[in-house]
Amino acid sequence: MAKIELSKLSFSLPNIDTSRLEKEICDNSKRLEILGNSAGQNNAKFDAALNKLSNAVASFQEIESLLVSPIFVRAYAVTLPEKLLNSRARNMYMSNTVLDAISRVRDKPSGLVVESLITQYFKLYDELNNYRDLANWLLSAKSKRKDLDENVKFLLSDNGPRGVAERCIEDQVDFSCLIESIELKQYGLGRYLTVAQLHYYVNQLESLEPNETSDLMTEIMQPSAYNAPYSLTKLLGHRALEIIIDKVSGDEELSPQWEKFILSIAGDPRIPKDHQNYRKWWSVLGVDRASKVCSWLSKLDLKIFLDILEQYAKTRGGADIQRMYPPRKKFLEGLFDAKLVKGTRLYLSAQADQYARQNYEKNELPSYSIVKGNQASIISIKVGDIYLMEGSHSCKLWLYRNLSSNAVIHNYRATEPYYHSLTQGMDSLNRQEGFSPAIAIVHQPTRWRWQQQAIEQLRDWGVDLSPTDVIRESELSGYIRTHGF
């Protein structure tokens, strides 16, 4: 047979845009999935099964005995999302016995059942008593259906939400980008995603250096964030505060942002122990953390007191008052710098309270009381077992070696004490109860008289205080020439 010689044909194919075809295939696949899931639902038998199951769930009856055929299991999958309205229903109708009943009907559960249960798993997560058992059941079901991909295996693992947070840190990716890449986003907002984000917050906080500035803190300062349940016994706010408070030693300064973070969530611990805020936060955080925060807030008390004292000196005080401000400021700051202060209480006049509210945000202010009956503001300072009461205006400096436990400054419920009860009245009460009288020092500026009296008295009572601690450097040589070292 003779061969026929054909000349070569030369031609070129145009580039074909397959995106439209891919979209059509995807859309048709989704339509087939919807049809498959709805198959068997539009008939009288399915309607009867659905009604019977719905009535049982509505009256909190056990349903295991009903789950004996594929049509009832399908009805279960359809009715499940809208019936789990409370904790009792959730734990009753997604229990291990229900899962076992479904498995007995069909060893390889249908896609509708698996998707219904996995959606509820991500929605409810640890609100279910058996969430780990449900995860294992889903892993097994997905494996039997041969659609167990690596993302689902990762999300249903024991590490779960914590693993999501850790992967964010390890891969240095944004949280929202990661949940999209591992296909968690498709299950919508739910408890699983919330817990993952809480772990992400905690991991980020744990990585901070002491006093490091972080935008994350601003996010956690929202009530919806810090009030989110973190564990069975703690909110996210508890865990966040534990991390922040423990990172900084009591001797270190606390940055304004970290101070604001603590006050925004838990407030000032110097309140009655039966106060709602104390019970919610500080009783959980513990006495040691509360004491550490009190120490930091003492410095804030002093800052606000000195700020108010300075404003008074500048705007309302005469030349004498303005001259008295710098020595008082140095004396009080010196006590703090020498690490002698163990605690403070702040008492502001009505005018000073108004100034504080106008110049500080609410979550930048510590707890303080309002002074009645006088325009002066007072700060109580504890140095060892000794108490100092320093005030603005013409208030004396009161020193107490021993102070009665009935003194007003020990009463956190006294939110509006009278000026007299903080000064002469407190001294009178102390005397009546057998304690030594207070040493009341008038602020005589001549030849550093009041500082010399205070330094000598505190030294006599065992306080290791040097003139270099509390006298301004520019005046130190004159003080030493006059009163000695």
Side-chain angles (χ1 to χ4, degrees):
M1 186 175 181
K3 293 183 179 180
I4 301 173
E5 295 291 335
L6 296 174
S7 58
K8 292 182 179 180
L9 298 175
S10 60
F11 60 90
S12 61
L13 291 173
N15 291 329
I16 299 174
D17 182 8
T18 61
S19 59
R20 182 180 174 186
L21 180 60
E22 290 172 356
K23 184 178 185 303
E24 287 183 3
I25 292 172
C26 181
D27 291 343
N28 287 330
S29 296
K30 288 180 179 177
R31 278 196 286 271
L32 283 171
E33 185 179 357
I34 292 169
L35 286 171
N37 286 339
S38 63
Q41 293 183 20
N42 298 318
N43 60 58
K45 285 185 178 180
F46 177 80
D47 289 342
L50 189 60
N51 288 334
K52 195 168 185 179
L53 200 64
S54 296
N55 290 335
V57 171
S59 55
F60 290 103
Q61 296 175 20
E62 292 185 356
I63 60 170
E64 289 86 335
S65 60
L66 297 177
L67 300 175
V68 293
S69 67
I71 200 166
F72 268 95
V73 172
R74 183 176 290 275
Y76 166 83
V78 170
T79 194
L80 184 65
E82 62 188 56
K83 297 298 181 183
L84 304 181
L85 301 179
N86 57 58
S87 177
R88 180 186 174 190
R90 292 165 186 166
N91 287 296
M92 187 171 184
Y93 299 123
M94 295 182 70
S95 65
N96 290 348
T97 55
V98 170
L99 298 177
D100 291 342
I102 293 171
S103 297
R104 283 194 295 270
V105 172
R106 184 180 291 173
D107 185 52
K108 184 176 76 173
S110 70
L112 176 64
V113 172
V114 172
E115 285 308 307
S116 182
L117 284 170
I118 201 170
T119 299
Q120 293 305 310
Y121 173 81
F122 287 118
K123 178 182 177 182
L124 302 172
Y125 189 55
D126 56 3
E127 293 176 3
L128 297 169
N129 294 337
N130 66 327
Y131 70 96
R132 281 308 318 143
D133 294 331
L134 175 57
N136 291 329
W137 188 92
L138 289 166
L139 284 167
S140 175
K142 283 273 190 182
S143 179
K144 289 172 182 176
R145 292 183 53 78
K146 301 190 184 307
D147 62 354
L148 179 60
D149 61 39
E150 289 304 311
N151 284 336
V152 172
K153 189 185 292 186
F154 169 66
L155 292 171
L156 293 177
S157 67
D158 288 344
N159 211 18
R162 188 185 295 274
V164 173
E166 289 172 351
R167 184 176 287 187
C168 274
I169 306 296
E170 291 167 5
D171 296 350
Q172 295 184 335
V173 295
D174 183 72
F175 184 81
S176 59
C177 292
L178 180 69
I179 65 170
E180 189 164 355
S181 69
I182 61 177
E183 300 176 356
L184 177 57
K185 190 176 181 180
Q186 65 178 308
Y187 294 105
L189 294 175
R191 177 62 184 158
Y192 185 102
L193 186 57
T194 298
V195 173
Q197 191 159 23
L198 297 183
H199 282 298
Y200 174 71
Y201 283 152
V202 166
N203 285 355
Q204 291 286 77
L205 286 177
E206 287 176 338
S207 68
L208 293 178
E209 293 297 323
N211 287 319
E212 180 182 345
T213 301
S214 170
D215 292 337
L216 181 69
M217 286 185 162
T218 305
E219 292 182 44
I220 299 176
M221 279 160 56
Q222 303 304 314
S224 58
Y226 65 69
N227 281 316
Y230 177 74
S231 67
L232 291 175
T233 58
K234 293 178 182 177
L235 304 176
L236 172 63
H238 291 123
R239 184 68 193 110
L241 289 172
E242 287 173 348
I243 294 168
I244 292 302
I245 295 170
D246 292 349
K247 272 187 177 290
V248 184
S249 74
D251 293 334
E252 290 181 78
E253 292 283 340
L254 198 66
S255 73
Q257 189 195 31
W258 285 40
E259 198 169 72
K260 186 175 180 179
F261 183 79
I262 294 170
L263 290 174
S264 295
I265 296 174
D268 193 326
R270 296 171 298 180
I271 52 177
K273 286 187 170 61
D274 60 356
H275 190 284
Q276 180 183 357
N277 224 43
Y278 194 97
R279 292 201 308 269
K280 180 178 179 178
W281 298 108
W282 297 109
S283 63
V284 178
L285 293 168
V287 174
D288 289 343
R289 291 192 181 97
S291 298
K292 189 189 282 190
V293 171
C294 287
S295 174
W296 289 324
L297 293 181
S298 291
K299 296 167 187 174
L300 180 58
D301 286 347
L302 178 65
K303 176 181 178 296
I304 292 171
F305 177 77
L306 291 176
D307 185 12
I308 288 165
L309 196 63
E310 183 179 25
Q311 289 304 311
Y312 170 72
K314 286 180 178 178
T315 60
R316 296 176 182 270
D320 290 344
I321 294 294
Q322 291 183 35
R323 280 195 298 270
M324 288 173 66
Y325 168 73
R328 288 200 207 185
K329 180 175 185 289
K330 174 58 182 175
F331 189 89
L332 296 176
E333 288 180 338
L335 295 175
F336 278 85
D337 293 341
K339 302 190 184 308
L340 296 172
V341 177
K342 304 302 179 187
T344 58
R345 290 288 309 278
L346 187 58
Y347 300 88
L348 300 184
S349 66
Q351 234 173 2
D353 170 51
Q354 188 178 14
Y355 172 84
R357 292 175 186 274
Q358 289 173 347
N359 290 275
Y360 293 86
E361 293 181 24
K362 184 178 179 181
N363 54 9
E364 292 176 331
L365 289 170
S367 174
Y368 58 83
S369 299
I370 305 299
V371 179
K372 296 179 71 175
N374 197 288
Q375 293 184 351
S377 296
I378 293 175
I379 186 169
S380 162
I381 300 175
K382 186 180 182 186
V383 176
D385 293 326
I386 297 164
Y387 286 86
L388 293 77
M389 303 291 290
E390 176 64 290
S392 62
H393 294 63
S394 58
C395 182
K396 297 175 183 177
L397 172 62
W398 298 79
L399 307 181
Y400 292 88
R401 183 172 190 177
N402 305 108
L403 189 61
S404 166
S405 59
N406 293 319
V408 67
I409 64 170
H410 296 314
N411 183 3
Y412 287 119
R413 298 182 193 282
T415 57
E416 293 186 344
Y418 279 91
Y419 177 80
H420 181 267
S421 68
L422 293 164
T423 52
Q424 293 98 329
M426 196 154 75
D427 182 33
S428 298
L429 175 67
N430 228 39
R431 294 167 186 257
Q432 289 170 16
E433 297 195 1
F435 295 96
S436 55
I439 304 298
I441 300 173
V442 178
H443 292 91
Q444 295 177 349
T446 308
R447 298 172 66 81
W448 306 278
R449 180 61 182 156
W450 73 265
Q451 292 103 313
Q452 183 258 339
Q453 284 182 273
I455 292 169
E456 287 191 2
Q457 189 62 68
L458 291 171
R459 279 177 162 180
D460 286 347
W461 289 345
V463 178
D464 185 15
L465 185 64
S466 166
T468 56
D469 295 326
V470 292
I471 302 296
R472 289 187 295 168
E473 189 175 352
S474 61
E475 298 181 335
L476 186 59
S477 59
Y479 178 91
I480 294 173
R481 280 197 305 272
T482 305
H483 299 290
F485 194 78

